[in-house]
Amino acid sequence: MRHFSRRHFLSNTLAAGASISGLSLAGSELTAQPADASAARVTIDPDRSISAIDRNLFGSFIEHLGRAVYEGIYEPGSKLADANGFRTDVLKEIKELGVPIIRYPGGNFVSSYHWLDAVGPKEKRPRVLDLAWNALESNQFGVNEFMAWCRAAGTEPLMGTNFGTEEPEMTAALLEYCNVDKGTKWSDLRRAHGYEKPHNVKYWCLGNEMDGPWQVGHIPATEYGIKARDAARQMRTIDPTVKLIACGSSNTSMPTYLDWDQQVLEQCYDEVDAISLHRYYGNDEETGGDSSKYLALNLAMDRQIKEIAAVCDLVRGRQRSEKSLWLSFDEWNVWYRARGPKFDDGHRQEAPHLLEEIYNLEDALLVGGLINTLIRRSDRVRVACLAQLVNVIAPIMTNEDGLFRQTIYYPYVWALQYARGKALDLVPQSDTYEVTAFTRRGNRAGEKITVPYLDLAGTIDAQSNSVSLFILNRDLETARDLTVSWHEVVPRRVNTCHVLTGSDLKAVNAFTDPKRVAPQNLEAPAAGAEMKFQLPPRSYTLVNIGL
Ligand code: AHR
């Protein structure tokens, strides 16, 4: 399995030049030109919103991969661990972040994972070979430990299931083990394991990236759709309240992109609630290392969301269904350096250092842009997971003495703290620039993409009576002005105005220099009917304004 990596597969299919998913950013509703080409404008009407934001839009992901679980959240014997073996410093950090939902236990890992190996007395649990990452899995941390950890961290589980080497029967058994109170084979087993109360897991992913030839148990779309339908029917008999997410395309570069999603949904549309989207971004072949192009990649996420939503609606129409599916963008992040055999082969070790991507300033700016896209698309995306949370492509890195926050931590924590209530319907006017199209199948040579310098998302929260703005300035050289006008309301004060910026786009944080890239206060204009913000070049800004 390890010899046919996801990366290898994708680069081969890109090179093959099949024409499925041409990617162009033109046509974004954010590209309107202002009258004065150097100043951007936006009018905020508190009554114009897109939708309520589901808190689960800012979830995350912990996989049994590298040092995410072991040495990340669970390290018995560590001076930082509590009686359960949970890392207290990491727990505190995640609690403070307020992560609403965490996907677990994989990822690729889940497709050959037997959950039954990791419950019951710890001394009896087998040590197994994880086929996804060629690592040793001790099974000392399993579903019950994860549920206890979630309670301690104040978060909710998004449970992944094995559609690779197990049949739907075992997914149903896991649900019965987790959610049925008592009096059945699996619920009584949970009780025998010391967990009297059911875990009541609401959200479930039906498999992981089953479209990918790298996935253990990869099968054709129709076959997967039938299996998902079967599992869903069994699961709803056990607990009709569960939310079920079918496995969608794992990337826009897949030759089966959109076809997979349609064929899957043709089989299981009525049985599921949502379909998954995955995507990792990088300043690599796709952008040619051009940072101004890289910072536009969140518009590719906008487009992916629209395309998958269109497929859902197509199938809905074909099936005359009353139900509209929502989307679960349950893996997204920057990931392009710590990839390939040097970074994803566990060499049959326990807790190997895998996928330990170190993030720089420009990665954090793009993550800010991706959060903007999620806010703007919150009418359709209800669950999304920053992949992942600790040590593995993560905002938090640990060693035996403590942790540090990577650059991408900051836009993520701002979203968690400030993107509350409803997403505002904003139509900003911004000056634009052009870049050549991303290297994607279907693009014509020399095709141009028009990109606004300023990327804006806004939220309004009735509870705190405030509006938050999230502004990415993609201009690498020059500060940009943004004039904010208010419709039928005059704000009272600016509560918060922070910016993430710096002179070096490649600057990173480390244990030795943990705050090299960190937010600073930005001078804000006085609250009023018209407010002019000056946004530094290469920056992501958060403003919270009291109404
Ligand atoms: O998050 C790392 C990996 O990326 C996951 O295991 C897999 O689902 C995706 O390909």
Side-chain angles (χ1 to χ4, degrees), residues 177-411:
Y177 183 92
C178 287
N179 285 17
V180 172
D181 184 14
K182 60 181 173 185
T184 66
K185 171 179 167 182
W186 297 107
S187 62
D188 286 345
L189 183 65
R190 184 197 69 243
R191 284 174 165 252
H193 290 159
Y195 294 84
E196 204 174 304
K197 291 212 172 94
H199 298 312
N200 288 326
V201 180
K202 188 169 166 196
Y203 290 89
W204 294 80
C205 290
L206 304 179
N208 177 71
E209 297 190 347
M210 295 304 293
D211 60 330
W214 60 85
Q215 200 69 210
V216 174
H218 161 62
I219 43 176
T222 301
E223 217 176 294
Y224 166 76
I226 293 169
K227 196 167 173 181
R229 181 177 67 204
D230 181 18
R233 285 181 180 163
Q234 294 188 40
M235 291 172 85
R236 290 203 195 280
T237 305
I238 296 164
D239 181 350
T241 69
V242 287
K243 303 284 177 207
L244 303 180
I245 302 163
C247 188
S249 287
S250 56
N251 198 296
T252 55
S253 301
M254 299 300 292
T256 52
Y257 176 59
L258 302 180
D259 292 338
W260 167 275
D261 305 83
Q262 183 179 345
Q263 286 165 24
V264 165
L265 291 178
E266 296 283 4
Q267 299 305 323
C268 65
Y269 188 93
D270 271 337
E271 277 79 12
V272 300
D273 300 285
I275 190 160
S276 71
L277 295 79
H278 289 184
R279 178 84 158 84
Y280 293 97
Y281 306 86
N283 197 0
D284 49 8
E285 306 97 61
E286 192 166 11
T287 56
D290 175 348
S291 298
S292 53
K293 214 160 155 179
Y294 180 53
L295 295 184
L297 274 175
N298 66 302
L299 302 181
M301 183 195 240
D302 266 278
R303 178 166 172 164
Q304 184 182 351
I305 291 168
K306 282 195 225 166
E307 287 169 345
I308 298 291
V311 171
C312 292
D313 294 344
L314 170 73
V315 178
R316 176 186 176 177
R318 284 166 61 89
Q319 300 200 354
R320 278 70 169 167
S321 174
E322 288 306 312
K323 185 170 78 177
S324 171
L325 296 192
W326 48 269
L327 308 182
S328 175
F329 214 123
D330 47 45
E331 282 189 41
W332 69 270
N333 201 348
V334 167
W335 175 27
Y336 69 105
R337 287 156 294 226
R339 293 190 85 138
K342 200 166 147 232
F343 299 97
D344 66 19
D345 187 337
H347 296 287
R348 304 195 174 181
Q349 302 296 308
E350 282 186 32
H353 287 246
L354 299 182
L355 280 57
E356 300 208 359
E357 185 98 4
I358 296 300
Y359 292 106
N360 61 28
L361 172 61
E362 68 178 6
D363 301 330
L365 301 182
L366 176 61
V367 164
L370 294 164
I371 284 167
N372 284 7
T373 290
L374 289 173
I375 294 171
R376 288 195 292 264
R377 300 282 160 218
S378 55
D379 55 332
R380 207 63 201 253
V381 185
R382 287 207 203 149
V383 172
C385 302
L386 175 69
Q388 300 192 8
L389 190 54
V390 186
N391 288 334
V392 171
I393 43 176
I396 298 167
M397 299 296 287
T398 67
N399 68 11
E400 55 191 20
D401 297 321
L403 58 82
F404 81 90
R405 297 168 174 177
Q406 295 233 54
T407 61
I408 61 168
Y409 174 95
Y410 296 105

Side-chain angles (χ1 to χ4, degrees), residues 464-476:
S464 59
N465 200 24
S466 69
V467 161
S468 294
L469 297 177
F470 304 83
I471 314 156
L472 170 64
N473 181 5
R474 299 189 178 102
D475 193 323
L476 302 182

